[in-house]
Amino acid sequence: MLPGRGAEGIHSMVTIPQFVSRPEVEVVVYRHKPACKFTAPDKLGRCSCRKHLYVREARLRIATGKRSWEAAREFATRWQDAHDPEKTKQREQAAKQEATYKLVEDAFDDFIAAKKAASDNPEGFAATESKFCTLKKQLLIFLAKHNLTVAEPERVYYVHRITSSLLDRWMATWKAKTYWSKTKRRDNCVAFFEHCVDKRWIAYDATSKDKGNPARGMMRIRTAKGSTIPTLPFTPKQFHAVLAATLRYEESVTTVNKREVQNKGLRLHALVNLMRWSGLSITDAVTLGRDRLGADNRLELHRTKTGNPVYLLLRSEIAEEVRNIPPGPDANPDYFFWSGKGKKNKAASTWQKTFRKLWTLVTPPLVLKDRDGRKLAPKSHMLRNSFAVELLKKKVSLDHVAVLLGDNPETIREHYFKWVPELQAILDDEVKKTWQAEPIILEDADHAISAAVN
Ligand SMILES: [Zn+2]
């Protein structure tokens, strides 16, 4: 391009200096066309010859490519803005700000990848991953619909624009599901936005109750009648009744193939004890490898995000019972309960069936009700609830219980505190702990737990 044929042509030929303040420019006609009749100062306004910018400070002449004064003046303003050091600084800051904005979809992908990387059970994570993906898809669909109904400034593309009330409206669209599955979804939302806060895509807000996490402000999951269905533990009495029922399991089974249920009662007894005293989920418990239980009765529960194993000291009779479990029909020397074949969640669902049978054998019958007196079916997950609640009752701290369950303390607080009348004492302990401001040491958890269970 020839010089003088347009702004770009000139710019490529001339070095524009850095200005210390907004550069002053004038729009000038450098040379009129020979035929121009408006060269006199009082007629210049009607001149349609090519206009230039004259930058006084740098003594630059820049072609605007414009013939109209108005267009040339607009060009001048844009050029000034582009070279104004103050405006440049503002633009850089805005760009930086924009860079920390995170699209909901990208944030979710990052969250799922992080969860996957932190998972100590890649096979088991597939099910979790598909739940996260469904959640992501549904949130994106909800936001897309929302964005169609509001004006541009109200539209939500970035995670930091999502509010609790928007999430409540989203939650209202969730298809009728059980309390358990809805609660789990809500927990997953909390975990997702927690990740966003950690990554600073959402501002951490120390002054607000939800610390900037909009999902924490979501409404609690309630039944149609408005009562929350609790994260119910077994009472110690109910637990012992469940244990006793395991020993009636084999005689209750009328199947022709007795070999299939051989030792099932004793194995079930060991499983119930393991789940109650370790807090392991059913999948983790039934697929537990023998190498996870040390000769010192320490059970490797799981690994933290940073890969450190979390151990729980088991009471010796529980450890012995699990260690000496009679073999099942398809025994594998590497596992206590599992054949080592097939998918882990298949193994879990097989044992779930056994549990459903077990509940019917408990005497006196298990009567579980929500606050409205509606009957609840027992769940094997209640053994994990019992583990958590009994520790909290024995004043093991929220943080320690959270470490053992591989959950975050907020979730533990929300789910289990209502079962612990000793709440105030625990809160007092928490406050005292902040005075000491000491880090959490897992050995402390060991001591507290062995004191609690022995
Ligand atoms: Zn002219």
Side-chain angles (χ1 to χ4, degrees):
M1 188 181 274
L2 293 170
R5 294 297 297 273
E8 275 65 35
I10 286 287
H11 279 197
S12 65
M13 305 296 290
V14 180
T15 308
I16 309 282
Q18 290 274 335
F19 297 95
V20 292
S21 60
R22 187 176 177 83
E24 281 181 35
V25 302
E26 278 171 66
V27 178
V28 296
V29 179
Y30 176 60
R31 189 181 293 142
H32 290 278
K33 287 185 292 185
C36 181
K37 294 171 187 161
F38 308 106
T39 57
D42 61 326
K43 290 179 179 167
L44 212 52
R46 296 171 67 188
C47 159
S48 63
C49 301
R50 290 180 192 278
K51 308 295 186 290
H52 284 73
L53 298 188
Y54 180 62
V55 185
R56 190 178 302 281
E57 190 185 334
R59 298 188 180 182
L60 284 175
R61 197 175 61 232
I62 294 167
T64 67
K66 312 291 179 193
R67 290 178 182 274
S68 103
W69 287 102
E70 197 189 342
R73 285 194 195 99
E74 279 170 13
F75 181 97
T77 305
R78 281 200 304 277
W79 194 92
Q80 282 178 297
D81 286 348
H83 296 89
D84 180 336
E86 189 57 37
K87 292 248 178 191
T88 304
K89 208 168 129 195
Q90 283 170 10
R91 266 194 310 275
E92 278 168 5
Q93 276 172 349
K96 214 167 139 194
Q97 189 77 16
E98 190 72 21
T100 68
Y101 283 13
K102 198 72 173 178
L103 289 167
V104 176
E105 184 169 8
D106 294 346
F108 237 115
D109 290 341
D110 190 272
F111 166 69
I112 293 168
K115 284 281 170 189
K116 193 170 190 171
S119 170
D120 57 0
N121 177 8
E123 193 195 321
F125 188 76
T128 310
E129 184 172 15
S130 92
K131 275 182 197 135
F132 286 151
C133 288
T134 305
L135 201 63
K136 168 187 137 185
K137 206 168 84 188
Q138 290 174 340
L139 179 58
L140 289 173
I141 290 171
F142 172 79
L143 290 176
K145 283 183 183 166
H146 167 81
N147 287 347
L148 286 177
T149 63
V150 293
E152 184 60 37
E154 307 294 316
R155 289 182 189 159
V156 176
Y157 306 104
Y158 301 105
V159 285
H160 72 282
R161 296 288 312 278
I162 296 176
T163 62
S164 298
S165 64
L166 191 63
L167 290 178
D168 277 338
R169 276 157 53 202
W170 177 41
M171 192 165 76
T173 69
W174 293 359
K175 296 275 188 309
K177 291 206 174 182
T178 65
Y179 165 83
W180 303 93
S181 68
K182 269 197 170 183
T183 300
K184 190 66 203 159
R185 295 184 79 185
R186 188 181 179 282
D187 289 349
N188 287 342
C189 287
V190 170
F192 166 63
F193 285 104
E194 207 60 35
H195 181 77
C196 295
V197 173
D198 285 348
K199 291 276 185 160
R200 298 289 180 267
W201 299 326
I202 297 178
Y204 175 81
D205 182 358
T207 62
S208 97
K209 202 175 135 221
D210 59 26
K211 306 286 181 231
N213 183 331
R216 289 202 190 288
M218 283 168 87
M219 281 186 282
R220 296 278 175 270
I221 310 294
R222 284 162 194 281
T223 63
K225 280 183 170 178
S227 76
T228 55
I229 300 181
T231 316
L232 199 64
F234 288 119
T235 65
K237 215 172 165 180
Q238 286 170 333
F239 171 69
H240 285 292
V242 169
L243 261 189
T246 61
L247 302 176
R248 290 193 293 277
Y249 186 87
E250 277 168 66
E251 65 192 50
S252 77
V253 178
T254 52
T255 174
V256 190
N257 187 357
K258 280 280 179 190
R259 207 187 85 82
E260 213 171 78
V261 293
Q262 200 181 17
N263 295 328
K264 192 86 178 196
L266 287 175
R267 291 166 63 74
L268 192 52
H269 192 278
L271 180 61
V272 167
N273 260 331
L274 175 65
M275 288 175 70
R276 160 63 184 87
W277 298 104
S278 70
L280 285 177
S281 72
I282 187 163
T283 307
D284 289 344
V286 302
T287 60
L288 189 70
R290 281 191 177 264
D291 57 351
R292 297 264 294 270
L293 178 59
D296 56 358
N297 296 342
R298 279 166 161 251
L299 177 67
E300 186 190 319
L301 289 175
H302 53 86
R303 283 170 187 268
T304 61
K305 280 180 190 174
T306 49
N308 294 318
V310 174
Y311 293 104
L312 172 74
L313 187 61
L314 284 182
R315 211 157 48 169
S316 61
E317 65 262 36
I318 304 296
E320 277 304 296
E321 183 184 0
V322 173
R323 204 174 275 128
N324 298 319
I325 185 172
D330 202 6
N332 182 321
D334 291 339
Y335 300 96
F336 296 110
F337 299 94
W338 193 30
S339 65
K341 292 179 213 147
K343 296 216 167 191
K344 289 189 174 183
N345 46 11
K346 178 72 174 63
S349 67
T350 303
W351 278 97
Q352 293 280 23
K353 263 181 236 152
T354 309
F355 271 109
R356 282 197 287 277
K357 170 91 184 170
L358 174 65
W359 308 134
T360 67
L361 302 175
V362 179
T363 52
L366 290 169
V367 181
L368 308 171
K369 286 179 177 173
D370 69 11
R371 274 192 231 142
D372 295 320
R374 277 199 284 188
K375 270 187 89 172
L376 294 176
K379 301 258 178 186
S380 63
H381 201 75
M382 289 173 65
L383 294 165
R384 178 174 162 95
N385 297 344
S386 301
F387 171 75
V389 167
E390 293 302 321
L391 287 178
L392 290 170
K393 281 185 175 173
K394 302 253 164 59
K395 298 193 187 178
V396 177
S397 81
L398 205 61
D399 287 328
H400 287 153
V401 174
V403 168
L404 292 170
L405 292 182
D407 250 325
N408 69 55
E410 278 305 313
T411 308
I412 306 296
R413 187 193 300 277
E414 280 175 24
H415 284 182
Y416 298 117
F417 257 36
K418 56 178 159 282
W419 299 107
V420 186
E422 298 84 348
L423 173 73
Q424 190 55 53
I426 289 165
L427 287 177
D428 290 348
D429 284 352
E430 294 286 305
V431 170
K432 277 185 204 157
K433 218 172 54 192
T434 65
W435 296 343
Q436 298 161 0
E438 280 172 352
I440 302 161
I441 298 163
L442 278 177
E443 273 178 33
D444 286 355
D446 274 353
H447 291 151
I449 288 148
S450 60
V453 299
N454 287 316

Short mmCIF file of all heavy atoms in Angstrom, two decimals, residues 4 7 36 77 176 183 188 190 199 217-218 273 309:
data_model
loop_
_atom_site.label_atom_id
_atom_site.label_comp_id
_atom_site.label_asym_id
_atom_site.label_seq_id
_atom_site.Cartn_x
_atom_site.Cartn_y
_atom_site.Cartn_z
N GLY A 4 -0.05 7.40 2.38
CA GLY A 4 -1.03 8.44 2.11
C GLY A 4 -2.33 7.90 1.58
O GLY A 4 -3.29 8.64 1.44
N ALA A 7 -5.02 5.11 6.54
CA ALA A 7 -4.38 5.14 7.85
C ALA A 7 -3.36 4.02 8.00
O ALA A 7 -2.25 4.24 8.47
CB ALA A 7 -5.43 5.02 8.95
N CYS A 36 -11.47 22.01 -5.96
CA CYS A 36 -12.20 22.34 -4.72
C CYS A 36 -12.52 23.83 -4.66
O CYS A 36 -11.65 24.68 -4.87
CB CYS A 36 -11.38 21.93 -3.51
SG CYS A 36 -12.23 22.29 -1.96
N THR A 77 -11.02 10.89 17.21
CA THR A 77 -11.32 10.51 18.61
C THR A 77 -10.87 9.06 18.87
O THR A 77 -10.27 8.76 19.90
CB THR A 77 -12.83 10.65 18.88
OG1 THR A 77 -13.20 11.99 18.56
CG2 THR A 77 -13.15 10.37 20.34
N ALA A 176 -39.08 -34.46 39.36
CA ALA A 176 -39.32 -35.05 40.67
C ALA A 176 -38.40 -36.25 40.88
O ALA A 176 -38.42 -37.20 40.12
CB ALA A 176 -40.77 -35.49 40.79
N THR A 183 -30.63 -34.12 46.83
CA THR A 183 -29.63 -33.61 47.76
C THR A 183 -28.23 -33.80 47.19
O THR A 183 -27.38 -32.93 47.27
CB THR A 183 -29.75 -34.34 49.11
OG1 THR A 183 -31.05 -34.08 49.62
CG2 THR A 183 -28.72 -33.84 50.09
N ASN A 188 -23.43 -31.57 44.56
CA ASN A 188 -22.54 -31.46 43.40
C ASN A 188 -22.46 -30.02 42.91
O ASN A 188 -21.41 -29.57 42.48
CB ASN A 188 -23.01 -32.39 42.28
CG ASN A 188 -22.72 -33.85 42.61
OD1 ASN A 188 -21.90 -34.16 43.47
ND2 ASN A 188 -23.40 -34.76 41.94
N VAL A 190 -22.80 -27.38 44.83
CA VAL A 190 -21.95 -26.70 45.82
C VAL A 190 -20.49 -26.97 45.49
O VAL A 190 -19.66 -26.05 45.46
CB VAL A 190 -22.30 -27.16 47.26
CG1 VAL A 190 -21.25 -26.63 48.25
CG2 VAL A 190 -23.69 -26.68 47.65
N LYS A 199 -10.78 -21.16 42.15
CA LYS A 199 -10.06 -20.71 40.96
C LYS A 199 -10.16 -19.20 40.77
O LYS A 199 -9.66 -18.67 39.79
CB LYS A 199 -10.63 -21.42 39.72
CG LYS A 199 -10.33 -22.90 39.66
CD LYS A 199 -8.95 -23.14 39.08
CE LYS A 199 -8.70 -24.62 38.90
NZ LYS A 199 -7.62 -24.89 37.95
N GLY A 217 -26.34 -20.85 48.88
CA GLY A 217 -27.55 -20.08 49.18
C GLY A 217 -28.80 -20.70 48.60
O GLY A 217 -29.90 -20.19 48.78
N MET A 218 -28.63 -21.81 47.88
CA MET A 218 -29.81 -22.48 47.31
C MET A 218 -30.71 -22.99 48.42
O MET A 218 -30.23 -23.32 49.50
CB MET A 218 -29.38 -23.69 46.46
CG MET A 218 -28.85 -23.36 45.10
SD MET A 218 -28.07 -24.83 44.38
CE MET A 218 -29.49 -25.61 43.60
N ASN A 273 -20.49 -54.43 59.87
CA ASN A 273 -19.53 -53.89 60.84
C ASN A 273 -18.50 -52.98 60.16
O ASN A 273 -18.19 -51.90 60.65
CB ASN A 273 -18.81 -55.02 61.57
CG ASN A 273 -19.42 -55.27 62.95
OD1 ASN A 273 -19.95 -54.34 63.57
ND2 ASN A 273 -19.35 -56.50 63.42
N PRO A 309 -2.64 -40.97 51.67
CA PRO A 309 -3.65 -41.89 52.19
C PRO A 309 -4.19 -41.42 53.53
O PRO A 309 -3.47 -40.83 54.33
CB PRO A 309 -2.87 -43.21 52.34
CG PRO A 309 -1.45 -42.82 52.43
CD PRO A 309 -1.29 -41.53 51.68
#
